Amino acid sequence: MDSVPALDEPLKKVLGPATAKVMAEHLGLHTVGDLLHHYPRRYEERGQLTHLADLPMDEHVTVVAQVADARLHTFASSRAPRGKGQRLEVTITDGSGRLQLVFFGAGVHKPHKELLPGTRAMFAGKVSVFNRRLQLAHPAYELLRGDAEETVETWAGALIPIYPATAKLESWKIGKALQTVLPSAQEAADPLPGPLREGRGLVTLPEALLKIHRPHTKADIEEARARLKWDEAFVLQVALARRRHADAQLPAVPRRPRPDGILAAFDGRLPFTLTEGQRKVSEEIFADLATDHPMHRLLQGEVGSGKTMVALRAMLAVVDAGGQAAMLAPTEVLAQQHHRSVIEMMGDLAQGGMLGGADDATKVVLLTGSMGAAARRQALLDLATGEAGIVIGTHALIEDKVQFHDLGLVVVDEQHRFGVEQRDALRGKGKQPPHLLVMTATPIPRTVAMTVFGDLETSVLDQLPAGRSPIASHVVPAADKPHFLARAWERVREEVEKGHQAYVVCPRIGDEEDGAKAKKKSPEDEAEKRPPLAVLDTAEQLARGPLAGLRVDVLHGRMPPDDKDAVMRRFAAGEVDVLVATTVIEVGVNVPNATAMVIMDADRFGVSQLHQLRGRVGRGSAPGLCLLVTEMPEASPARQRLNAVASTLDGFELSRIDLEQRREGDVLGQAQSGTRSSLRMLAVIDDEEVIAEAREEAARIVASDPDLERLPALRTALDALLDEEREQYLEKG
């Protein structure tokens, strides 16, 4: 037998440069080991056909089906004006549904000869809608002739693995590449400690890799999956356990509030009582702040559950103890809003060093990138001297010029919007590591919290403060029932007539370059969907049409910061009836008089994002209304997603739905680290038990051997899973 390539052997040496280049660029696969860990998404059985009935829109799919009929049409077009254009339409079926394939121009000849009725093949392409029917335009295909050689070589056994693929590299080509590297699986070092593997009855890693790529039975697949899930859960939990262990060794200054300090004065003036949840979470935070190693706590709270109040009390406790607190917000709009609301809540306690300031007062300063030079200089001076106990800002806080007198607490609002380096830079500004409180309004199921924020202690605020109103949500199917959309605009007018205000949210701004429009559309392009609705166009149409006579204004991310702030102030003051905006209003914008929200092209937003947006209405005593406008057909997954959002206000329930619908890998925040997710087999929602058990095992192992000196294979796996970038992601948390 030829020598087996090592797991770290570059793919270009084994598969050739062209295939290796596509694998690196489109699938992030660089070595033989990477390819072995590129697992099939599912398996087709030779005797069974795929479900065409539930194909996802806009996704790259691979299906196994049979040709029902094929027809060649001619037509006239700009390229073939004399009716010489050719289009081949092939209908394939699998018993559950039918799907149209379409080929154009010179591309029709080969499929016309090969895709005869009765032929079975694998087809790969992107699902689009044309004339309200699902279709694949120009799919790649591989005929399943079932001749002996092909069966033995490519598909040992009856189960055909279907791999996550791309337009440039179909599933069956990935399968053939795997055939080449599969012997290397024997070299895979096993990261699971022997006793743990045997105690749980798991197969070895080489055996799991063989069974996942070349299963003979469904039992093979189950055994392989059970083993590979454990690897992912365990190696990740070891990384998090090591990080918790390292954090517990760091020193921090304990911060205990004075019994008669600014926190006591603030609490004494509150015009309402804190909810039970707010009190409980505050106690957890105060206990953490009093210890001599840094707090690392995640505060989850539904939109409007009063997280800002809890964070402000934590900041005041630190100010009481002689330290400073910094709150990092993801956008200028939000930083300005937090600054305004904190000053309103504190009153004269926020006027330290000023006439009329209370005895215990401190200064609360704002620091954003667009401030004038004089205001900025003063803010920097107040931070350096310690005059300002609280600073609220955007990532302008992180710049080198910003010096703190004694930074004791960092509060990060909306964790998922900050890069790791940004949080790390801010934490580096304390003389000793400051305490860290991370807040998110995106509810995170327990298992995800254990996986993604596994190094943070978690607190949850799940009660809404008194005075919050329920929000009714409805889907408006604009294509099927245009009169529903007309009724939606009437509802907005009714709300304004009652003295309330409304938001209209659109997916894009509308002042982008129109280069894309200029290109002549070919017949293939006609299958593409129209571009998403834009703020500027929509605002103009509404002001001229269904909302004529109302005061309509726009807000989007590309406006100068002062203009954004001015629009928000006008809206908050009730001088604007309808605000047409992008998702800049998604987080933290608080206008209690806004009761209605219309989300255009709602299918273009994620579940959590829709839930966040909806949380902007119903913040006062009047009930809220959220209308989700879509043109998607009734049976589409997008409509099911919108129906789910309309049917519940429970963010935790929605985050489960969101995770089940998205690719699992999105969970691990590769947006933060810029790398692919490391989760390939583990389903964070379904594998709750595996994650919880792996967490316990990992904590036990790290407690007895923090550097994993007795487990070299586990250390190697850790290095592979957490390539340098991800290691930094975890390091910096």
Side-chain angles (χ1 to χ4, degrees), residues 430-481:
K431 295 186 175 66
Q432 281 193 325
H435 298 282
L436 176 69
L437 178 65
V438 166
M439 301 199 296
T440 177
T442 309
I444 303 165
R446 194 178 77 91
T447 43
V448 183
M450 275 196 308
T451 308
V452 183
F453 301 109
D455 60 313
L456 298 175
E457 298 299 325
T458 305
S459 298
V460 178
L461 276 178
D462 47 13
Q463 292 166 288
L464 288 189
R468 276 302 166 91
S469 302
I471 303 169
S473 306
H474 304 284
V475 177
V476 177
D480 312 349
K481 299 180 176 156

Side-chain angles (χ1 to χ4, degrees), residues 29 44 61 123 161 197 208 224 233 253 260 274 628 660:
L29 307 174
E44 290 298 352
V61 298
F123 301 93
R197 186 174 60 72
V253 179
D260 55 350
L274 297 173
L628 306 166
E660 282 160 6

Side-chain angles (χ1 to χ4, degrees), residues 457-722:
E457 298 299 325
T458 305
S459 298
V460 178
L461 276 178
D462 47 13
Q463 292 166 288
L464 288 189
R468 276 302 166 91
S469 302
I471 303 169
S473 306
H474 304 284
V475 177
V476 177
D480 312 349
K481 299 180 176 156
H483 58 287
F484 275 36
L485 184 57
R487 177 72 190 114
W489 301 126
E490 283 171 22
R491 284 292 288 114
V492 170
R493 292 195 87 97
E494 286 163 17
E495 287 301 309
V496 172
E497 278 158 21
K498 290 183 200 161
H500 298 308
Q501 292 158 278
Y503 297 100
V504 176
V505 181
C506 301
R508 70 189 177 103
I509 296 171
D511 59 357
E512 296 86 350
E513 289 300 309
D514 283 348
K517 284 185 193 163
K519 286 197 298 205
K520 270 262 192 303
K521 282 205 165 182
S522 66
E524 295 99 304
D525 292 336
E526 285 169 22
E528 287 296 326
K529 296 192 299 187
R530 63 164 175 74
L533 290 171
V535 165
L536 301 176
D537 311 340
T538 304
E540 196 180 324
Q541 286 159 14
L542 290 175
R544 282 207 313 263
L547 302 184
L550 302 187
R551 297 168 299 175
V552 177
D553 212 336
V554 300
L555 180 70
H556 59 74
R558 256 190 254 134
M559 290 165 64
D562 290 352
D563 295 2
K564 273 192 284 203
D565 197 40
V567 170
M568 271 319 301
R569 279 175 194 273
R570 284 204 301 278
F571 189 62
E575 294 161 20
V576 172
D577 298 321
V578 179
L579 186 61
V580 184
T582 56
T583 54
V584 289
I585 60 151
E586 177 188 351
V587 178
V589 172
N590 185 19
V591 180
N593 190 44
T595 53
M597 176 177 283
V598 181
I599 302 179
M600 307 303 290
D601 281 343
D603 47 274
R604 314 246 179 168
F605 299 97
V607 171
S608 296
Q609 202 173 24
L610 291 169
H611 183 56
Q612 284 275 1
L613 286 165
R614 168 171 66 184
R616 301 297 118 222
V617 295
R619 298 176 76 87
S621 52
L625 172 69
C626 178
L627 301 173
L628 306 166
V629 179
T630 178
E631 293 185 357
M632 280 296 171
E634 188 149 6
S636 63
R639 271 288 278 282
Q640 290 160 13
R641 212 170 59 227
L642 296 179
N643 291 339
V645 173
S647 67
T648 178
L649 290 172
D650 179 342
F652 286 92
E653 178 54 31
L654 286 173
S655 64
R656 285 186 82 92
I657 294 168
D658 195 15
L659 277 169
E660 282 160 6
Q661 296 218 337
R662 287 189 302 163
R663 287 271 126 53
E664 206 52 65
D666 297 355
V667 173
L668 268 185
Q670 76 269 44
Q672 303 239 17
S673 65
T675 61
R676 261 177 350 135
S677 155
S678 58
L679 288 196
R680 299 187 181 90
M681 191 56 77
L682 197 66
V684 173
I685 292 288
D686 301 338
D687 297 322
E688 186 155 353
E689 222 167 277
V690 175
I691 292 168
E693 287 175 21
R695 185 179 165 111
E696 278 173 33
E697 292 277 11
R700 215 167 39 74
I701 281 170
V702 170
S704 65
D705 181 8
D707 294 328
L708 308 179
E709 283 168 0
R710 298 192 292 278
L711 298 166
L714 176 55
R715 283 182 68 166
T716 308
L718 207 55
D719 295 341
L721 177 81
L722 309 170

Side-chain angles (χ1 to χ4, degrees), residues 26-208:
H26 295 273
L27 296 168
L29 307 174
H30 303 279
T31 65
V32 168
D34 289 347
L35 181 54
L36 284 173
H37 287 289
H38 186 71
Y39 308 133
R41 181 171 285 163
R42 56 191 168 81
Y43 300 85
E44 290 298 352
E45 289 182 70
R46 275 196 172 281
Q48 268 193 350
L49 296 166
T50 359
H51 279 291
L52 295 181
D54 42 8
L55 286 180
M57 268 296 297
D58 266 357
E59 280 204 20
H60 211 278
V61 298
T62 302
V63 295
V64 175
Q66 189 159 357
V67 177
D69 66 59
R71 294 184 187 155
L72 192 61
H73 302 273
T74 53
F75 60 90
S77 73
S78 54
R79 288 187 194 162
R82 288 194 292 280
K84 293 283 174 59
Q86 288 192 310
R87 182 172 79 243
L88 175 67
E89 288 177 4
V90 178
T91 307
I92 57 173
T93 177
D94 66 350
S96 77
R98 295 164 85 81
L99 179 65
Q100 184 140 335
L101 314 178
V102 58
F103 300 87
F104 293 98
V108 304
H109 305 307
K110 185 167 176 272
H112 191 214
K113 282 209 304 271
E114 293 182 337
L115 297 180
L116 304 170
T119 309
R120 294 193 57 226
M122 287 164 75
F123 301 93
K126 191 175 182 185
V127 183
S128 56
V129 170
F130 183 63
N131 281 345
R132 303 181 68 86
R133 285 167 62 197
L134 292 181
Q135 71 164 25
L136 296 182
H138 280 288
Y141 62 87
E142 173 96 331
L143 301 178
L144 294 176
R145 298 190 181 84
D147 57 355
E149 183 199 2
E150 186 245 17
T151 309
V152 173
E153 267 305 297
T154 321
W155 326 113
L159 293 161
I160 303 172
I162 304 290
Y163 289 93
T166 77
K168 296 256 179 13
L169 196 66
E170 295 86 15
S171 168
W172 51 86
K173 290 183 181 161
I174 296 171
K176 285 174 179 168
L178 265 151
Q179 195 68 25
T180 310
V181 301
L182 208 50
S184 303
Q186 296 303 339
E187 309 297 309
D190 202 323
L192 287 193
L196 190 158
R197 186 174 60 72
E198 287 147 22
R200 295 183 180 276
L202 298 167
V203 299
T204 64
L205 182 55
E207 193 181 337

